Structures are given as structure tokens and as C-alpha cells.
Amino acid sequence: MDRFIIEGSRDLSGSINVSGAKNAILPAMATALLAAGKSTLLNVPNLIDLKTMSHLLRVLGARVEYEAGSMAIDASDLCYNEAPYELVSKMRASVYVLGPLLARLKEARVSFPGGCAIGTRPVDLHLKAMEALGATINLEHGYIHAVAKELKGADIHFEKSSVGATINALMAAVLAKGTTRMFNAAMEPEVDSTIDMLNQMGARITGVGSTTLTIEGVESLNPVEIRMIPDRIEAGTFLIVGALSTAPITVTNCQPDHLEALITQLRSAGCELEIEESSITVIPPKVIKPTDIITLPHPGFPTDLQAQFTVLMAHAEGISYVEDTVFPDRFMHVAELNRLQANITMNRNVATIKGVLQLSGAEVMATDLRASAALVLAGMAAKGQTIVSRIYHIDRGYDRIEEKLNGIGARITRENA
Ligand code: UD1
């Protein structure tokens, strides 16, 4: 199993590039199943989660080819409707095939996703949306079995803002008969990018950028070629690297308007930010100011940057509070950060962080994707050597992170232990 050996406290400077957004590409791959033809996704990084999704699409009968950042998906022969346990248990986002399978094959069997390191993550909102559109759902032998002779437009009221449920429901509603209205839909940029792709394929969705979406069902969709948006979480992770460094770092190929909540908090922490059309330069403060954050659905502060921001606050001069309202159990990184001599205590979903000026290197273990990124950031800032094991979590969502960070002066070595 690979691990990272990190020599900390190095001087960083220069610019670092952002790849395409994993969380936009996963639904885009599922969306491609809706057209009987070959779609092409551009700006696609080489990530384990995307390989897992490719595997799943092939199991369903699609042809998937990946070369040099371009992914071609030919769903002409989509024929098999089961997403098996082995794949869904590796990656929850496999549940995205539910909507397209129902829309195209009228039936789907998707293994029921279990919990994961960031807590219990139900799919009830996905299932209620499919039922509203006319599907009959049964849970049997660990599988969601959904059948719909005909999907029919309906009003769907999401009790809670959910990225996954909004996207899954959209993929089913575009080919349903009649009009669907969604209320309290999620507004994350990955939802907007899915809507953009669907509309380019011939869907009729209005209301993008708001919590109320209207979908006029169409008979069929066409394949499309589309460029994937930059990964705002990778960009945000690198901005936090910049905030922790001693010289300016420029994050290139990002979309600044997707990062507003983080930008506001970085400014509160004392950073100066120079924002261009597709790049942001962060000029770190001499002293990091304590800044409280509460994670919320977009446009609030993203839960996927909570662990990394906690590392920044572990270096602040004073006490700060970090609350996660989206995934209240997502604090597995705290115990590991305390091994690096951070001073963080937990009360339910609120971390109280007493800043220390210097963390100290140690051996730590990655537990989930974003927590691993946080440990890498902490190791880079700490004095001495940090070893992060189980880094397969980080390879799920960051493309060659050590190469990118070494490009701005970090010293991170991948070792096969
Ligand atoms: C997506 C992202 C994940 C991010 C999260 C929140 C992908 C592949 N993953 O996950 O990185 O952290 O958005 O921005 O894009 N919920 C329910 N019932 C449901 C579905 C969700 O109660 O049926 C709850 C969840 O437990 C959570 C909240 O709703 O508390 C938001 O989750 P959701 O937006 O659905 O997250 P995902 O789409 O799974």
C-alpha cells in the first residue's frame, strides 16, 4: 500500500494547476448513458474514482475509452441494469446510474450503498425522487430494485439540499413524460455543470443557479462533447496550501466564482488574494488569524474543504471553531492532526482549535479523501518528517498530488510500503 513521506517546513512558491472536477465528471459519465451514441468528456484527470465509474459503465454495456485527458463513452449498447456490490461498495457515486438506467432501460438494480468514513450517508432522497417520477422501489437482498414502465413528470420537494439526489432526479426527469418541478434543489457548481451537459444533449431544463428547477421531458437525447469544469475542491486545497506558505502561490485553471465562500474566509484569516479570470494568487499573512467556519450547501462553505481549513486554523494565533452541518461526523482527521501536535477538541460536530505556531511531524493514517489531503497539508507545514499511510484515498480524487505540490517546492515522496 502506498504512503507519502513528507519533509515539512519547506519554502513554497510558484504556480499550481487545477484538474477537471471529479464530482462533475462522475455525474457526467452517468449522464452520457442517457444518449444512444458516443459522448466525449474533455479535461478529465486520471483518478481512481473515475476508473471505478468506467468499470461500472462497462459492466452496464457501455464502451469507455480514456486517453490523454479525454474520455469517450459510447452508450449505444446499454443493456445491463445492475450496479453490483463490488463497485458500489468502492464508491458511493455509483448510485448515479440509477436515474439513467430507469430512464433508458425502465429498470435498475443498484447495490444499496453502505456507510463510509465520513458517516452514515442515506440515499432516501434519491429514492423518493424516483418514486415521485413513477418508479416502484423495493429494497431486496442489499439492492435497490427500481422499475418504471413510464417515468412521468412530477413535483419533487427535497427535504434537504442534496447534490446527489438532485442530479440523479434530473437524469431521470429529462426523459420523463411531461413537466417536473424540483424545489430545494442543490445549487453546487457540479449540479449546474450537469444541467449544462443535459441541455446541450437536448434536454429542456430551466432555473439553473436557483433552488427551483423546471424540466420539460423530451423523447430522447443526443451525445455531446463537453469540457469539464475545474475542480473547486482541488483549487481550494491548493489555496489553503498557499495560505500556509511563506511566499505567494498562484492557483491556475480554476473558476474563482465557485470559490467565493473560501475566498471570504481566507481574507478573514489575513490572506491577500489577487483574483483573475481563471487564476487566484494567495499572498499568505505573517500571522494567520483565527476564523470560524460553518459548512453549508453551496454557496456556503463546502464540507469538502473543512478538513483542509482545519489545518490552516491549527496554525492560527488564537482559538477558532469549525462546524460541519453537512456531514456532522466528518472529523476523522482531528485525532490524526493531534498526533502532529495540533490542539483540537471535539464537541459533537464542532471542532475547537487552539492554534499552535508549528506542528510537528509524525506518522498518521489517511481515513478518507479530504481528510488525507488535510494530512498532506499538515505534513507540509510541520517541522520534520511526516508519513501519511493509506494514501489510496487521496488518489481517488487528486491527480498526482505529490507531483503538483513538489512543483511548488514541497518534498513528498511516494513509497510502496
Ligand atoms: C456530494 C459530493 C461530496 C460532498 C457532498 C456535499 C460527489 C460524488 N460527492 O456527495 O464530495 O461532500 O456532495 O457537498 O459529488 N442526504 C440524505 N439523504 C439522501 C442524500 C443525502 O439525508 O438521500 C444527506 C447527506 O447525508 C448529507 C446531506 O444530505 O448530510 C448532503 O449530502 P449530498 O449533497 O447528497 O452529498 P453527496 O451527493 O453524497
Side-chain angles (χ1 to χ4, degrees):
M1 232 184 273
D2 287 3
R3 59 185 199 167
F4 280 151
I5 316 288
I6 305 172
E7 302 300 334
S9 290
R10 306 235 331 146
D11 289 335
L12 308 179
S13 64
S15 67
I16 186 163
N17 192 48
V18 176
S19 300
K22 168 182 86 79
N23 287 354
I25 298 166
L26 288 168
M29 291 174 73
T31 299
L33 298 180
L34 288 165
K38 181 166 147 185
S39 291
T40 305
L41 311 180
L42 306 173
N43 194 26
V44 176
N46 189 10
L47 302 175
I48 290 185
D49 272 6
L50 302 181
K51 285 187 187 149
T52 306
M53 193 67 165
S54 303
H55 188 164
L56 174 56
L57 264 48
R58 289 190 189 109
V59 165
L60 302 175
R63 254 171 278 158
V64 185
E65 281 161 30
Y66 177 71
E67 206 187 332
S70 160
M71 182 180 281
I73 301 163
D74 187 341
S76 305
D77 300 325
L78 188 73
C79 57
Y80 193 67
N81 63 25
E82 182 168 313
Y85 173 75
E86 305 85 78
L87 293 173
V88 182
S89 60
K90 271 194 196 163
M91 188 187 66
R92 284 180 45 89
S94 309
V95 80
Y96 274 142
V97 299
L98 179 62
L101 286 177
L102 260 183
R104 268 198 72 197
L105 302 181
K106 318 285 177 216
E107 185 172 0
R109 273 172 53 83
V110 177
S111 175
F112 197 84
C116 68
I118 66 174
T120 50
R121 290 173 74 179
V123 286
D124 56 318
L125 302 173
H126 299 237
L127 303 188
K128 280 184 195 158
M130 299 304 158
E131 280 177 333
L133 293 168
T136 307
I137 310 261
N138 283 303
L139 300 180
E140 50 196 29
H141 310 299
Y143 276 74
I144 301 159
H145 184 206
V147 183
K149 275 201 186 117
E150 185 181 59
L151 289 171
K152 287 194 187 128
D155 281 359
I156 301 174
H157 297 262
F158 292 107
E159 293 151 35
K160 205 172 178 179
S161 178
S162 162
V163 177
T166 302
I167 290 177
N168 227 339
L170 276 167
M171 292 186 290
V174 284
L175 290 180
K177 204 173 173 146
T179 306
T180 297
R181 290 186 305 164
M182 291 183 193
F183 303 95
N184 196 26
M187 293 198 294
E188 270 67 4
E190 295 75 22
V191 175
D192 293 357
S193 92
T194 307
I195 293 175
D196 183 30
M197 177 167 174
L198 286 165
N199 280 343
Q200 286 192 40
M201 293 168 81
R204 293 174 59 199
I205 307 169
T206 54
V208 63
S210 77
T211 55
T212 306
L213 301 173
T214 305
I215 302 109
E216 301 289 345
V218 294
E219 285 285 315
S220 64
L221 296 176
N222 306 311
V224 73
E225 177 174 302
I226 187 165
R227 188 173 172 81
M228 296 289 99
I229 58 171
D231 194 316
R232 66 194 168 101
I233 304 303
E234 189 192 22
T237 303
F238 295 157
L239 288 174
I240 295 172
V241 168
L244 282 162
S245 78
T246 48
I249 301 282
T250 301
V251 178
T252 56
N253 188 28
C254 62
Q255 202 159 324
D257 60 327
H258 290 169
L259 287 156
E260 276 167 11
L262 174 67
I263 288 170
T264 304
Q265 298 299 346
L266 287 176
R267 285 195 169 124
S268 305
C271 299
E272 267 180 60
L273 291 131
E274 288 170 2
I275 301 174
E276 306 285 339
E277 200 182 328
S278 63
S279 73
I280 305 176
T281 299
V282 51
I283 301 159
K286 289 230 157 37
V287 176
I288 297 163
K289 292 188 214 156
T291 309
D292 302 339
I293 59 160
I294 301 181
T295 70
L296 288 167
H298 194 75
F301 192 95
T303 173
D304 285 353
L305 287 173
Q306 178 259 107
Q308 301 90 315
F309 201 84
T310 300
V311 175
L312 181 65
M313 287 303 105
H315 292 85
E317 200 169 62
I319 298 181
S320 56
Y321 300 92
V322 167
E323 176 173 353
D324 201 320
T325 69
V326 179
F327 292 113
D329 296 327
R330 189 178 212 176
F331 285 99
M332 302 280 277
H333 47 282
V334 164
E336 300 301 298
L337 291 176
N338 284 344
R339 285 181 53 72
L340 300 175
Q341 289 176 18
N343 185 345
I344 309 173
T345 49
M346 288 304 306
N347 184 3
R348 293 169 184 247
N349 63 334
V350 182
T352 302
I353 306 158
K354 285 191 185 140
V356 291
L357 292 182
Q358 179 78 69
L359 296 185
S360 163
E363 281 193 43
V364 289
M365 198 177 283
T367 49
D368 69 71
L369 171 55
R370 307 303 170 186
S372 338
L375 295 179
V376 170
L377 267 50
M380 283 168 64
K383 201 176 165 79
Q385 189 180 73
T386 294
I387 299 176
V388 185
S389 55
R390 298 202 179 169
I391 54 163
Y392 56 86
H393 288 292
I394 213 164
D395 294 331
R396 292 183 56 181
Y398 290 85
D399 187 14
R400 299 169 295 112
I401 191 168
E402 76 278 26
E403 280 178 38
K404 288 190 181 187
L405 292 171
N406 288 345
I408 54 167
R411 187 171 290 167
I412 306 174
T413 318
R414 185 181 286 260
E415 205 182 80
N416 197 280

